Amino acid sequence: MNAPTRKRRWLTISAVTALAALTALPAGAAPGRHATHPRSFTAMATASDSGGDGDGGEESDEIAEGADQFAEARTSPGTIAPGAFSAAWDALNALPATSGQWKHVTGLPYNSDDPRYRDYDSNSSGGAGLVTGRTSALAADDDGYVYEGSAGGGVWRSSRGGGHWQPISDRLPSQATGALALDGRGRLWLGTGEATTNADAYLGSGVYVLAHPHSGVFTKYDRVGGAELDSTSIHTLRFGGGKVWASTTHGVWSHSSTDLRGPWKLEYAPNPAYLPGGALADDPSAPYKNIANDVAIDPKNPSDVMLAVGWRSGDDYNGFYRKVNGAWTRVTSLGALPTDADTVGNVTFARAKDGSRYYAIVQSPELLATDPDSNLDGIYVSRDGDPFGSWDKIADKDALLKSGTALTSAGYEPGVQAWYNEFLQVDPANADHVYAGLEEVFETKDTGSTWSAVGPYWNFGFPCWSIDPSKQTGDCHQTVHADQHAVAVGSYHGKPYVYVGDDGGVYKRPLNGSQDADGHGTDWVSTNDGTIDTLEYYSVGVGRDPSGHGLAVNGGLQDNGQSILRPGDKVMGSNFGGDGGDTLTDPANGCNIAQEYVYLAVNVTQNCAVNDGAWVNDPTKVTSYSVAPPDNATNEARFIAPLTADTDNGGVWIAGGRHVWVQTHGYAIRDSKEWTDAFDLGQGHTATAVAAQGGKVYAAWCGPCNNQGFTRGIAVGNEDGTGWHQLDLPATGAQGTVPNRYLAGLAVDPANSSHVYLAVNGFSRHWTEGPGAGFGHVFESTDAGATWKDISANLPDVPTDSLLVLPGGGLALATDLGVVYRPAHHTAWERVGRLPAVAVLQLKLGPDGQVYAATHGRGIYSIRLR
């Protein structure tokens, strides 16, 4: 097994017994993986699953790379101009609609600790319990109302202190949330565009205000200002002096919080030439030149404001700024709080309600580049509440290592993802009581003199943990999901609670909750009760359940593994852990599943990975197996790499990295050596889409894949390795030619292997500044790719992700804003049903004739298309 990726399994048996069990595992068996944790543990046996990514298992780099690749597909070969997504949403809504309505398939609880699935590759029993998709923002009041903003699934409201959620932003052109805030009048402010991962990964459409959040819903008419903040991501919204301040990927902006008319004012952009319309707007580094993270407002003088700006990986402009004589000027002295560009990266502020304290978390670009253990510089306090006063350091990695953290091993310690995970919350009734979020949830009740990891990363490795399927997480208490992004304090029935948002949704506990002897919270409750579905699927698979009573539906998820839903289930289970990428499912037997982790780390099971954990003592009881193609070991595949089966023979699989890999043993494969190398796409090239029919294979690729020299192509050949050649695809972007943009999807006519369709991501030249951006999104070839015809017709200019050819000749297309359909023998496109403005990354045809859509933010849906 090669260098570790991100997920490990801890065995609560003696080291000697565990090591013996692991070395005796069947050929190809992979140890359990988690989305975010490469480490060893003293006296605990671990082993990595197959999977390489070039960083020796560094999760922080993997999340960054995954986000970058998601962005590249939409921006390359250039950058996106403001207004692109809003225009696409309006155009999509103007299309005629098909008949029928979407059925919500995954609208029920999802239990990451489901006792049915305690197989080798599952994280069941880790302690996170009920989960949903990533939460990026939270707000709460004292009337029991809680507001959740998800990374890609919109804003949700609970009137019961969490749970019984309802969506309230489905009418907006962006479902990506960056910030939520309640102002002094009880209005709910929404900043769209998530800013926790990458400058262009999840863009928004501006800021909106809901006057009556207890009962209202957001509409496009609630937008504040004009298009100034369109196609940005918004990190925070702060109030003071009659203004609202927005920290965005295009600098810091302000607007009156009383008069909502008129445009936003750009307060400060450190490099304005790189903003849209500027002389350097199309420069490859433009998305990273004006990153603003937060604003600290002096409680005694709200006109005195400190800006925290800076790119997580470092830039000359990183630091703190204050307006002096009308000009924003770098602050150079703040006591122990660093001010130099090398040390100041991502920053989050929190102020005590009475104004007596200011707190800050600081991530260090220098440590991100040099320290594999953590890039947390520290947590700081201004003890008199003056943001420009003298700050003291009250925590760093070493202090948090003493807190009861689960992250105690070299290479993965507290703050290793501080650029991605940060929140701060001060107890409104006690300025010395603070919650801090990194990978875990930490609490101090004495201004940082001592810290407790009240929400540990997971329970694996703790003495209280066991894999016993009769218990959720051994004798440990429920914890939270890993990777913290949001926090709020509110009251329900007069009792104050703290709410935290992470990669698994929303959790709560009493504000002054209890702890065990190790400092872990004993009273966490998941509010992810199934009424909120913001699960971020990359893929979907459907097959007949072997029980004979219906269908088994599964799918790969961002940081929530692989979900599995079988007939009669009241709760979905998780049979694989970590990030779930692409997936294959046998239509005739839905328990035959191939699941990709990341970078082509493929695993296979033939029993839905049902397991009671007996493999801990008897390794022959493992029922999932690592079968990763070799490009996984050499780090030559994309974060979410393509995996498919020949539509004429489901026992033949094709996987794409640098090479096109073929294996012919179907779900009986047990070893990575069973893959054969059909074709080398070339040094620096990696597959973006693959499709096969009747022995013929099409493989789209890119390399470089970003806007710094972007190149793409398509190779065509046979599964047996013969007849391979690269298609001639001019990169001029001329009308009617395949654009020089990311090639996201391929689909072959089941009746004719030379008849193929191509989906092109990104935006056309109108919105994308870059060489050869061209026009169109869907292309057709009837001669195996020798020539192509643009069949986009009336299709809106929107990034496209996946294609599906239906048995009758109709063509279904997944886009970043929903699904469209072209009936057989027609040329015009129709909108399919009414989904929110959510990205649909994959479409599959089920054995029931339904089309299944994997949305990246709102779960799985199905519909019948005629």
Side-chain angles (χ1 to χ4, degrees):
M1 294 182 181
N2 63 313
T5 55
R6 300 186 291 164
K7 181 177 116 164
R8 306 278 188 140
R9 166 65 67 199
W10 308 111
L11 311 183
T12 53
I13 52 179
S14 72
V16 174
T17 303
L19 287 170
L22 286 171
T23 56
L25 283 172
R33 305 162 296 139
H34 190 274
T36 48
H37 201 12
R39 67 190 193 101
S40 59
F41 190 80
T42 303
M44 308 299 286
T46 69
S48 71
D49 67 294
S50 291
D53 52 18
D55 58 23
E58 179 50 66
E59 150 68 359
S60 183
D61 286 349
E62 289 185 4
I63 290 181
E65 188 171 351
D68 286 344
Q69 291 184 11
F70 191 90
E72 290 165 3
R74 287 146 182 83
T75 58
S76 296
T79 56
I80 301 174
F85 279 99
S86 294
W89 179 244
D90 289 342
L92 199 68
N93 282 319
L95 289 179
T98 65
S99 60
Q101 295 182 340
W102 288 101
K103 176 186 176 183
H104 190 190
V105 177
T106 53
L108 69 169
Y110 176 31
N111 186 6
S112 67
D113 290 324
D114 193 317
R116 296 173 293 177
Y117 304 105
R118 302 226 159 152
D119 204 3
Y120 200 53
D121 287 303
S122 170
N123 281 342
S124 179
S125 75
L130 299 180
V131 297
T132 191
R134 182 167 73 249
T135 294
S136 52
L138 285 169
D141 63 23
D142 290 333
D143 298 319
Y145 284 83
V146 184
Y147 307 94
E148 187 268 1
S150 63
V155 181
W156 298 69
R157 174 176 60 220
S158 170
S159 61
R160 304 186 186 183
H164 297 276
W165 299 94
Q166 295 178 322
I168 60 172
S169 67
D170 284 3
R171 301 179 187 178
L172 298 184
S174 173
Q175 298 300 306
T177 307
L180 287 174
L182 289 163
D183 65 15
R185 295 168 55 181
R187 297 176 300 179
L188 181 65
W189 291 68
L190 162 63
T192 61
E194 188 199 15
T196 56
T197 53
N198 176 271
D200 287 321
Y202 306 96
L203 299 177
S205 55
V207 174
Y208 300 80
V209 177
L210 188 57
H212 304 289
H214 285 190
S215 58
V217 297
F218 286 102
T219 73
K220 64 180 182 180
Y221 304 107
D222 296 317
R223 189 163 78 169
V224 178
E228 299 84 20
L229 301 184
D230 203 318
S231 297
T232 68
S233 296
I234 296 174
H235 203 155
T236 57
L237 295 169
R238 305 292 189 187
F239 302 98
K243 290 183 178 182
V244 56
W245 295 76
S247 301
T248 82
T249 49
H250 289 169
V252 180
W253 299 69
S254 72
H255 199 285
S256 169
S257 59
T258 55
D259 184 354
L260 305 185
R261 298 170 298 179
W264 286 81
K265 176 186 177 182
L266 177 60
E267 292 282 355
Y268 180 62
N271 296 289
Y274 292 89
L275 293 175
L280 299 175
D282 59 349
D283 188 276
S285 63
Y288 318 108
K289 285 295 187 179
N290 290 286
I291 305 295
N293 296 302
D294 208 348
V295 170
I297 300 171
D298 188 339
K300 301 180 181 64
N301 180 12
S303 63
D304 205 5
V305 176
M306 184 162 73
L307 314 180
V309 299
W311 173 232
R312 68 189 186 209
S313 298
D315 203 306
D316 291 343
Y317 72 88
N318 285 29
F320 301 105
Y321 291 81
R322 182 184 197 178
K323 185 171 280 189
V324 178
N325 296 325
W328 291 101
T329 305
R330 183 185 294 272
V331 178
T332 58
S333 179
L334 292 169
L337 187 67
T339 59
D340 61 290
D342 290 337
T343 309
V344 179
N346 189 26
V347 175
T348 299
F349 291 121
R351 189 177 76 187
K353 186 176 181 179
D354 63 6
S356 64
R357 300 279 191 277
Y358 240 115
Y359 293 88
I361 297 181
V362 178
Q363 172 261 340
S364 167
E366 182 176 24
L367 292 178
L368 181 63
T370 61
D371 188 345
D373 299 334
S374 174
N375 52 85
L376 172 69
D377 173 73
I379 305 177
Y380 296 83
V381 63
S382 170
R383 298 183 188 276
D384 61 1
D386 181 1
F388 298 101
S390 181
W391 293 70
D392 298 324
K393 179 181 280 192
I394 57 174
D396 55 17
K397 174 193 70 175
D398 293 334
L400 298 180
L401 281 170
K402 304 172 185 177
S403 67
T405 174
L407 308 183
T408 58
S409 297
Y412 215 87
E413 296 179 349
V416 69
Q417 294 170 193
W419 64 268
Y420 175 64
N421 306 316
E422 281 190 8
F423 74 56
L424 274 175
Q425 176 67 53
V426 186
D427 183 341
N430 180 359
D432 297 325
H433 182 199
V434 179
Y435 281 87
L438 293 165
E439 299 75 34
E440 305 167 290
V441 181
F442 299 93
E443 181 183 19
T444 179
K445 297 182 178 180
D446 52 18
T447 324
S449 295
T450 58
W451 291 90
S452 298
V454 291
Y457 191 92
W458 56 15
N459 289 326
F460 296 131
F462 293 143
C464 56
W465 176 83
S466 78
I467 204 168
D468 183 352
S470 69
K471 300 179 179 180
Q472 177 190 356
T473 180
D475 294 324
C476 300
H477 296 284
Q478 159 96 50
T479 185
V480 298
H481 195 287
D483 298 338
Q484 311 306 313
H485 305 295
V487 64
V489 170
S491 295
Y492 184 57
H493 293 321
K495 184 175 183 178
Y497 288 88
V498 61
Y499 298 87
V500 302
D502 50 41
D503 276 12
V506 183
Y507 296 79
K508 72 175 184 179
R509 73 187 291 250
L511 182 58
N512 291 285
S514 61
Q515 303 176 13
D516 63 18
D518 296 314
H520 304 150
T522 64
D523 41 16
W524 287 106
V525 174
S526 170
T527 74
N528 309 306
D529 58 1
T531 60
I532 182 172
D533 183 1
T534 58
L535 291 169
E536 295 178 286
Y537 283 93
Y538 290 111
S539 63
V540 59
V542 189
R544 298 196 183 280
D545 192 84
S547 67
H549 297 299
L551 300 178
V553 181
N554 65 81
L557 290 152
Q558 188 275 331
D559 209 5
N560 281 298
Q562 185 100 351
S563 70
I564 177 76
L565 175 62
R566 302 184 66 183
D569 280 358
K570 303 298 182 185
V571 175
M572 290 192 297
S574 179
N575 54 357
F576 292 92
D579 278 284
D582 215 336
T583 189
L584 293 178
T585 303
D586 184 350
N589 182 346
C591 278
N592 287 340
I593 301 169
Q595 180 262 0
E596 180 200 11
Y597 173 40
V598 291
Y599 304 105
L600 276 185
V602 179
N603 296 269
V604 67
T605 182
Q606 290 190 277
N607 76 331
C608 282
V610 172
N611 200 298
D612 63 2
W615 61 269
V616 169
N617 296 311
D618 181 358
T620 66
K621 298 294 180 66
V622 166
T623 52
S624 60
Y625 309 90
S626 174
V627 295
D631 280 352
N632 169 252
T634 57
N635 313 318
E636 293 179 294
R638 290 183 67 75
F639 183 77
I640 302 298
L643 176 69
T644 194
D646 189 313
T647 56
D648 197 45
N649 182 356
V652 178
W653 297 357
I654 297 88
R658 168 180 168 172
H659 302 79
V660 179
W661 298 96
V662 177
Q663 72 91 6
T664 59
H665 300 151
Y667 298 92
I669 184 174
R670 290 294 181 270
D671 197 300
S672 296
K673 296 177 181 178
E674 297 175 53
W675 293 93
T676 59
D677 183 358
F679 185 67
D680 185 349
L681 294 172
Q683 179 70 37
H685 297 168
T686 53
T688 59
V690 293
Q693 195 275 331
K696 180 172 288 185
V697 180
Y698 297 83
W701 55 266
C702 64
C705 297
N706 58 22
N707 55 12
Q708 301 181 47
F710 177 82
T711 308
R712 89 294 182 247
I714 301 175
V716 183
N718 299 316
E719 291 166 355
D720 63 5
T722 64
W724 279 90
H725 60 283
Q726 295 278 6
L727 298 181
D728 181 17
L729 294 181
T732 62
Q735 192 82 40
T737 64
V738 174
N740 187 40
R741 304 201 308 270
Y742 187 90
L743 308 181
L746 288 162
V748 187
D749 183 343
N752 180 0
S753 63
S754 293
H755 186 195
V756 60
Y757 297 92
L758 171 67
V760 183
N761 208 288
F763 286 92
S764 293
R765 184 177 295 163
H766 178 73
W767 298 108
T768 299
E769 294 294 333
F775 302 92
H777 289 275
V778 185
F779 293 78
E780 179 182 18
S781 174
T782 57
D783 52 14
T787 59
W788 294 89
K789 176 184 178 182
D790 184 356
I791 60 170
S792 304
N794 65 326
L795 181 70
D797 190 359
V798 59
T800 60
D801 300 293
S802 174
L803 282 161
L804 178 65
V805 181
L806 298 179
L811 191 61
L813 177 66
T815 81
D816 269 8
L817 296 175
V819 180
V820 294
Y821 176 61
R822 193 188 75 168
H825 313 300
H826 287 66
T827 59
W829 296 88
E830 303 171 358
R831 181 175 178 175
V832 179
R834 289 287 172 181
L835 289 175
V838 62
V840 180
L841 298 188
Q842 193 174 83
L843 299 172
K844 291 281 183 68
L845 184 66
D848 58 349
Q850 299 270 340
V851 173
Y852 288 78
T855 79
H856 201 65
R858 292 296 284 267
I860 295 173
Y861 287 78
S862 69
I863 196 169
R864 185 176 298 278
L865 292 175
R866 296 176 175 85

